[in-house]
Amino acid sequence: MESDNTRAAILREAEALVNGPRAVEYGPAEVNMTKIGAGWSVILGAPVTAHDVSLCMAWLKLARITGEGQASRDSYADAAGYVAIAAELADV
């Protein structure tokens, strides 16, 4: 275990993902999460907001980390990124 440097490194990786390649590949987070929420709303028969999608995606990553498989560093960075997007969408 790397001590405090791991925290900072994971947060830097998450920041680089949500503001770098993922932003270029998938477009603005709010637009993407809104689009996903619209589809999930149809499937679930209930409104799903962009904020809800971000939290659900973070949970998906956390479920992978806590599941039977091998936890990957990428899942930690992705979860942190989704939580940061959720906070942005909540305007906190």
Side-chain angles (χ1 to χ4, degrees):
M1 191 172 209
E2 273 190 50
S3 78
D4 294 333
N5 292 333
T6 299
R7 284 182 236 154
I10 292 291
L11 292 172
R12 281 192 302 273
E13 290 170 30
E15 191 276 333
L17 288 169
V18 298
N19 291 320
R22 303 277 167 80
V24 172
E25 187 174 351
Y26 301 122
E30 184 172 9
V31 171
N32 192 31
M33 297 299 159
T34 299
K35 186 176 184 179
I36 293 167
W40 288 1
S41 294
V42 171
I43 293 167
L44 298 172
V48 179
T49 68
H51 181 258
D52 296 335
V53 171
S54 298
L55 292 177
C56 288
M57 294 302 290
W59 172 244
L60 176 132
K61 295 299 180 169
L62 294 171
R64 286 182 179 169
I65 290 166
T66 60
E68 297 296 319
Q70 181 71 15
S72 74
R73 184 179 183 97
D74 184 59
S75 289
Y76 285 98
D78 284 347
Y82 283 122
V83 168
I85 290 169
E88 182 178 288
L89 293 171
D91 197 27
V92 295

